[in-house]
Amino acid sequence: MGAVKAAVAAVGVAFAAGAASVAAGRLASDVALKAPPGEPLPTEPRLTVHATAAGRIALTRAFASQRPGTYGLTGGDSHAVVGAVLEGAPHAPDTVVRRLERVTHGTLEPGDRVWLTPALHRGDPRTALGLDHDDVEIPGELGTLPAWFTPADRDIWVIAVHGLGTTREHPLNLLEFLHRHRFPVLTLAYRGDPGAPRSPDGLNHLGETEWRDVDAAIRHAVRFGAERVVLLGWSTGATMALHAATRSALRDRVTGLVLDSPVLDWTATLRALAAARRTPGALLPLAVRAAQGRTGLRATSGDQGSDTAGLRTPTLLFHGPDDTVAPWAPSRRLAARRPDRVSLRTVRHAPHGAMWNADPEAYEEALRRFLTPLM
């Protein structure tokens, strides 16, 4: 009898341990499947404001605070724009001094906890950039999708799609450039965004279902005068654009595809985000399996399979080796396998979704060269 009780107890312990592991895997998968728009990804470290002066700000010395380029700086209710590191500025050994371009919202005080973001602007095209726009409503699969439409006189529209951890404010970085080149721009909020319907299960599907909202945006653009469209996406927004370019019934209207930091291997991205939350390595496979069970996502081989094989659209890829969220190896493979359609612009020292921020002038020149033959 004692042996039977011991065996039963052992089974109970094993069952409890298994259930705990499954629950831990599910919790770890939340970091990607429930990433809130506008909140930093766990790979983005918090920094402390040490001091501010005219045109300068001292931040915690870290790899992130020493990145080249121009970034948003946000924390709480504050938002600012910081430029290059000021190498010659006096500072304490544990700080970095960057150019403080402007404070757009709130104030920055010593001791504030902040983080860098690729989004330089807060607000809509009018309040942030002084550009006239229309607030439009796009009929989507799950309900009405809000979008900003910035008019111009070309018959080729750009549909801009943000990605993980950002909102439709992120594409405002490129809106002045696109407006200057006379492209009408539709900046989309999709399922899960503020003002847009939620997915039925309340989860991000990392582009696998969300692409249908891009399809709805293409239909809207064609209905209101677009002869052709260019899809411009960041992160999972780039994944959505890729899916739409190969799966949409209107894919023949897609004349160009611009992918910034695309998530081409969602399992690698989920593992990276979970690991940044200090998930033990042994639980990472459970997080992937939990994500598959909760969303129906298929495990990927790192290149989105049939989507890249069936790609017929001229494509410009911006990606680099310092992206810790979406490994750039799949982007390199895609460019090597499809040189007839895909051009890779390698950007170094840029975090996920921030290829423009590292060198805006070089980014926009590459984009201009890509778009010119499509005009």
Side-chain angles (χ1 to χ4, degrees):
M1 182 66 71
V4 172
K5 289 182 177 180
V8 170
V11 169
V13 169
F15 179 82
S21 295
V22 169
R26 182 183 176 91
L27 184 63
S29 71
D30 281 350
V31 69
L33 304 186
K34 292 187 176 182
E39 295 294 326
L41 298 175
T43 50
E44 192 59 47
R46 301 302 196 276
L47 306 170
T48 300
V49 175
H50 290 263
T52 61
R56 298 182 179 186
I57 185 167
L59 300 168
T60 306
R61 176 173 290 275
F63 180 76
S65 60
Q66 298 178 78
R67 294 169 183 154
T70 303
Y71 294 85
L73 186 73
T74 189
D77 294 328
S78 66
H79 182 268
V81 178
V82 296
V85 174
L86 300 176
E87 299 289 357
H91 60 87
D94 61 344
T95 67
V96 171
V97 177
R98 299 188 73 113
R99 180 177 294 110
L100 181 60
E101 304 283 358
R102 60 186 181 274
V103 178
T104 56
H105 289 274
T107 59
L108 291 170
E109 303 291 343
D112 286 353
R113 298 286 282 170
V114 294
W115 61 89
L116 295 176
T117 169
L120 265 59
H121 302 286
R122 286 276 185 90
D124 59 35
R126 185 174 295 106
T127 59
L129 299 169
L131 296 177
D132 287 337
H133 77 282
D134 296 320
D135 292 301
V136 300
E137 296 183 341
I138 298 173
E141 178 183 54
L142 301 179
T144 299
L145 304 169
W148 296 318
F149 176 63
T150 311
D153 59 7
R154 295 193 188 277
D155 63 6
I156 176 172
W157 291 25
V158 174
I159 298 175
V161 193
H162 73 86
L164 282 173
T166 62
T167 68
R168 57 179 164 153
E169 291 173 325
H170 184 194
L172 295 180
N173 287 358
L174 281 172
L175 193 56
E176 286 183 308
F177 165 84
L178 295 168
H179 188 72
R180 189 164 63 247
H181 289 85
R182 309 195 337 265
F183 286 100
V185 182
L186 193 62
T187 308
L188 180 68
Y190 53 85
R191 63 190 70 185
D193 280 349
R198 294 184 54 177
S199 296
D201 57 11
L203 301 175
N204 301 322
H205 288 229
L206 305 179
E208 185 61 30
T209 56
E210 293 88 349
W211 75 268
R212 292 194 282 269
D213 293 346
V214 180
D215 181 50
I218 297 171
R219 293 176 184 278
H220 173 90
V222 170
R223 186 179 308 120
F224 286 92
E227 294 295 328
R228 298 163 294 151
V229 300
V230 172
L231 303 181
L232 167 59
W234 291 259
S235 180
T236 49
T239 311
M240 295 159 59
L242 174 62
H243 289 337
T246 56
R247 301 179 186 180
S248 171
L250 292 176
R251 58 186 174 274
D252 289 343
R253 297 292 189 114
V254 180
T255 193
L257 193 57
V258 182
L259 308 179
D260 185 314
S261 314
V263 174
L264 299 179
D265 182 349
W266 72 263
T267 60
T269 293
L270 188 145
R271 283 171 172 266
L273 293 175
R277 280 275 176 87
R278 300 182 180 176
T279 301
L283 292 180
L284 296 180
L286 293 176
V288 172
R289 287 202 291 273
Q292 288 179 280
R294 299 169 76 186
T295 64
L297 287 164
R298 302 184 304 276
T300 60
S301 60
D303 60 3
Q304 291 294 328
S306 60
D307 280 329
T308 57
L311 185 61
R312 294 182 293 172
T313 307
T315 301
L316 176 61
L317 266 169
F318 290 100
H319 214 164
D322 298 286
D323 187 338
T324 59
V325 174
W328 79 313
S331 290
R332 296 203 318 272
R333 288 197 296 269
L334 173 57
R337 189 170 60 249
R338 296 300 308 274
D340 59 319
R341 287 288 180 266
V342 180
S343 174
L344 173 62
R345 177 82 179 185
T346 300
V347 182
R348 301 187 182 277
H349 311 300
H352 182 66
M355 304 297 121
W356 176 87
N357 301 78
D359 190 343
E361 290 185 6
Y363 189 109
E364 291 181 6
E365 177 58 18
L367 185 56
R368 185 193 66 80
R369 289 174 179 270
F370 175 76
L371 293 174
T372 295
L374 307 178
M375 294 180 186

